[in-house]
Amino acid sequence: MGSRNSIAAAAIAVLIFGSLCGSGCASAPSDEPAIAPLVTPRAPGEPRTAIWVSRWDYRSPGDIEGVMEDAASLGVTEVLWQGRGEFDAYYDSPIEPWGEAVSVSASGPGFDPLALAIRAAHDRGLRLHAWVNVFTLWRGYEEPIDPRHPLREMPGWAVYGSDGKPEPASPGYRWANPSLDAVQDHVIAVLSDLAGRYDLDGLHLDQLRFRTMEAGGRLYPGDTATLQRFARETGVASIERPESRAAYRAWMRDRITRFVQRVNAEVATDAEISVVALRTPAEARERALQDVAAWLNAGLIDHIYPRLNTPEPGLFRDAVGDWLEAVPADRLTPGAGLHLLSEDEAIRETLRAANNAGGVALFAYGAVFESAAPEQPQTPADLTDRLVRRQALRDVLTPRITP
């Protein structure tokens, strides 16, 4: 990570001590450069207004231009543009298959969404961060169409339970085992490819965590290889006792921290590295095994976006306060769940509660604007809610003028 490496080196050992390719897939990258001039570097103390744009929000080059025009009209400074969802790619990747939300063909949609998004953002003076889901392997009940997807080609990367069976399919995400070197190697390769071929203003890491490790009476990961490695590295031979389970969680947290260290050391980029976090530092660390405040304070990452999805402005304000006790204000941009807010005053109060931090991030584009997402709700009430949100945001935020 360029100049950040020297800053973080002395802190890495302290952080660890205190806490406890893959398949070649899609078409070859285009020879056409995905180059647009980087926008002016951020001035010290400059507030940011960010917006998350999901992989479902665009289907065509016209959609991409429309998203950036909407973002600029709202006063956005940072576009958090989803380029990876479930070990797939929403750009022309030599490593992972195309994401099915934009193309079910192995040859892709006929354009590079990320390259167009970077150009469209920079043309309007917006910074673009590639939003990358890190450890989510797949979503839903259906298997990937492309046989080269890691879920099909590398089934051992999935999380297996103590019953020897893979994590069952559900409407939500299935996870890759974050402790596996092969999984970490693969994601590092993806991030290095993104940083090396695209003029990004940031790499925005989401799902850089692990959810509950016990469900339905089974332990996850509970496979023999992972448990043997845990025993070998910690000296804890059994996980039957509560203190042993706690040690296992601490070890898994350390493995995720090790991945963050590798990003810092191995991904060559001067782009900002940011992480999406749970509601509070303690919840992130204990529930999601992401020691994100420690990562930032050790110089391993540059910025934190805690996603504070709540309809209650008071709860949002309290969570911002928890974060401000743990990290510097200018390294923090709290995320407001606009999909949960439909009253003008609640939106304004939530934005005001973010004033003490380094700006605000809006979750998400489809909650504010009409989107290409096929499942975006379109009832009269939904259309009205989006209109109310747009009006409230435009009253508070300063629109950016397209150069």
Side-chain angles (χ1 to χ4, degrees), residues 205-221:
L205 308 182
D206 198 359
Q207 309 296 347
L208 178 47
R209 57 187 178 90
F210 194 60
R211 49 95 180 105
T212 179
M213 296 178 69
E214 296 185 53
R218 293 180 290 275
L219 178 71
Y220 293 98

Side-chain angles (χ1 to χ4, degrees), residues 43 49 60 74 161 173 254 279 284 316 343 354 358:
T49 301
S60 70
L74 201 62
Y173 285 121
D254 284 348
R279 180 184 298 271
F316 185 94
E343 298 293 332

